[in-house]
Amino acid sequence: MGALSYRSAAKIAAREMHSSRGKFFFVILSVAIGVAALTGVRGFSSSFRASLLNRARSIMAADLSARMFSQPTPEEQKGLDEIAASGVEITPVTELLSMASAAKTLDPLLVSMKAVDPSMYPFYGEVELAQGGRLSAVLMPDTVVVADDLLVRLNLKVGDELKIGTKLFRIASVVVNEPDRLSGNFAAGPRVLITREGLEASGLLAPGSHAGQRYLFKVPRPRSGALISDAAVADLKARLEKLLPEAQIIDYRETNPALTQGLDRATSLLSLMSLVALVLGAIGVAMAMRAHLQQRLDTIAIMKSLGARSGQIMKIYLLQTLLLGLVGGLLGVALGVGVQLAFPYLLAKLINVDTDFHIQMVTVVTGLVAGILTTLLFTLPPLLDIRGVRPILILRRAVEDNDDPFVTAIRRKITKNLAQIGAAVLILLGLAAIATTLSDSAVVGRVFSLGLVAVLGVLLGASAAVLAGLKYFLSKTRPHLPSSLRHGLANLYRPGNPSAALLAALGMGVMQIMTVYLVQQAVVTELHISAAPNLPNVFLIDIANNEVDGVRALLKGEHSVTAAPELLPVVSSRIINIDGVPADQAKLKNFPKRMLRSINLTWSDDVPPGTKTMEGSWWGAGERGVVVALDERQAERLGVKVGSHITFAAQDKQMVATVVALTKSDGQHAYSRAEFVLPPTALAGLPVVWYGGVHADPAHVGDLQRALYKAYPTVTVINVAQALETVRAVVIQITYVIQFLAAFSIFAGIVILASSIAGTRYRRIREVVVLKTLGATRARIATVFSIEFAVLGLVAGFVGIAFANVIAKVLLNRLTVAYHFQWMWTLGALLGTAALTVVTGWAASHRILGQKPLEVLREE
């Protein structure tokens, strides 16, 4: 046979595809659904994540914030000017405490001042005003915007005058919520927003004033119009940390712990779902294409006997593979884009999702290339098998391929099929490249591909061990078992039946589907806890020791309060020594040394609500030693770890506390405001003030403020209800989207696995013919196959679910989420896998029973 042109090879490939449409349906279906899941999940999650990050920015009002406790030095100001010259927008927010009074009565009141430039502030989000309108329209050099509790305390209304410093200002509106309410100062006193010009005119910014400065930064968008990258924000943050060593610098991802954790976990899960969709599609392709090429061995042998070379035949099937991958990929992209655009409308009834999701060409191209590449990669091994097909051996290929023991077969594969090993390495590299692209991380790509190979190897070994165990079981119990059961079990290791490969493929599919379910279930449960509707949204400051019981009774009787209050004792203290180094010589990280002179201590026997121990261990009840637990971020700033020693001074008492635990708070509870937690005995006898947190109906917080002011006028009420409702709404959005996309990925995976099982129907044709020729009835054959399918599903389900629980536990530990073994879902998944295998196997194979042996043999 002469040279075979690509045109001729393509014609032969297309003709064969047309004559075997049923067989190729499973290949195209696997590719299409895999690409659809990949494109739909990745495209929607990318758009949704961008929307969430914009919400996170609006909660901070900027991309970054730098809090300073004094005015910048000339050198620092020069550096800030250089940053502004590079295109970064900067606006300062000055915060300080001052006395204000009503112009009519001159009643003094301590207020929390916040001076902003209304033409720039906020960079993201809006300041919500009770009377409506924009902040820039009402806040002028001679006006102020105040919180509702200031009107209550001074008996004023909008339009009245307020004296601040030496100047009178007209109250222009009432502020309901500010975007950066959670990242601003929680100082005592009602809030007053004022322009920077107004603050300067008031005379309060005298030299030596204790005004705090917070700079907000907005990173410019790229000229291409793309979203601001995390790398650009991280670069600016690193530059600011170097320029302002004593400033506290945070970016929009650190605004609220619940939101940050939700974003991080959602991003990790959505990337996992994309990778799972990719692998499930690859499993379907590999199973269906291998079944097809096994069926074509007779044709290949005949072509070789007529003079065709292996390279020419491989060219035909390579083009066929590429064509299948392209058709399946295009169909999958179309389905994926439709899914991506449909998601917002399907979710609209559950959450307020912005439906302005555009088609992302990068995602479309990635999905198409991934579909074609995985199809090609996973058909390389069976394509390379074409080289070993010899006409003289075609009739005994099944026996020759399966009579050797498992170890011998593996050794023969290694010694005689180096090209197969090269194909496996190529598959590994290709998967690593695709995983890297999907996860935007080379580390994730490497770990994912190596982990996949390791799990696949273990699954193959486990599958082979199970089959060997079944064979041994049958050898010992054969006389005592019904013949149908014996035949069904024996079918799992009959010559020509790729049970080990099918068990490994099904096991991996079940493992990945179950892993997605277990991880998303645990993450969503955790997010629901952090978005619970009864978390504190009103905080109380400076409750005297003799007022605690009365405040607790008042809160219990208020109709607007919907949950029991959280009250914590606070002892004022200072740090004088860290691990033997005096406080004024300590090396701190973005933490001003003067802050060491004013810290808050509290006590608790148990881990406070909303707090997790990240390192070390919490003390037991009745602890008599001086030990301390502190937040891990605070520990990083102070340069301490478990085992370090911190010397505190409170009043005339000094105590050396050993760090025994580093914690992480969700920021949603009153104890989140405590910096250092000690046992009760360590702080016994020291003067105490109390802080509190309570959940109140956001619409009736004003009633609670009035009641508290009337009974306890010295207690400061800080209302963050609206701000926390915003965070809660975003977290709830995240949970719904995670559940929805996980359900879609799981459904796609089930369809792909079903098509993989269905693709093996052609392997059973010869056996049905032999059994019918020997006189077997349809009922007997149906019973044998049903037992084979059920055992196959149970074994694959057991192996896959076992690995899924192990992997889920590891992943959840990395995400700092609690893992719980779920018996009911595990049992349901096991039975479901068996049912899916039986139903799918028969859905694809029932027609075989109705065919006459002669018809089948003619087709063969």
Side-chain angles (χ1 to χ4, degrees), residues 196-242:
R196 297 190 61 79
E197 295 87 348
L199 181 61
E200 291 172 0
S202 69
L204 294 177
L205 283 182
S209 68
H210 293 287
Q213 195 84 322
R214 184 160 53 92
Y215 286 93
L216 302 181
F217 300 85
K218 182 181 181 182
V219 178
R221 292 188 65 167
R223 293 182 179 179
S224 62
L227 296 174
I228 299 169
S229 68
D230 290 345
V233 175
D235 289 344
L236 178 57
K237 184 178 181 181
R239 187 175 176 184
L240 287 171
E241 287 176 342
K242 185 177 180 180

Side-chain angles (χ1 to χ4, degrees), residues 53 64 80 97 171 218 272 274 282 317 334 379 407 429 434 448 476 607 654 696 733 737 743 748 753 836 841:
L53 291 180
L64 292 108
L80 291 172
L97 294 174
I171 300 175
K218 182 181 181 182
L272 173 66
S274 297
Y317 287 101
T379 51
V407 176
L429 295 175
I434 296 172
F448 176 79
K476 298 296 184 182
V607 180
Q654 287 192 13
Q733 282 188 349
V737 169
L753 287 188
L836 173 70

Side-chain angles (χ1 to χ4, degrees), residues 44-59 227 252-253 259 262-267 270 351-354 357 527 726-727 729-735 737-738:
F44 179 78
S45 64
S46 177
S47 297
F48 182 70
R49 183 173 183 271
S51 175
L52 284 180
L53 291 180
N54 281 334
R55 295 287 295 274
R57 285 179 166 95
S58 68
I59 290 172
L227 296 174
Y252 62 93
R253 293 165 297 184
L259 182 60
L263 281 173
D264 291 344
R265 291 166 180 172
T267 301
L270 296 176
I351 55 176
N352 182 25
V353 177
D354 184 6
F357 287 91
L527 288 174
T726 302
V727 173
V730 174
V731 173
I732 290 174
Q733 282 188 349
I734 294 173
T735 62
V737 169
I738 287 176

Side-chain angles (χ1 to χ4, degrees), residues 29 72 78 147 206 233 251 281 391 469 493 510 569 627 665 729 744 806 808:
L29 180 64
K78 181 181 178 182
V233 175
D251 62 37
Y493 56 85
V510 172
V627 293
S665 170
F744 177 77
V806 173

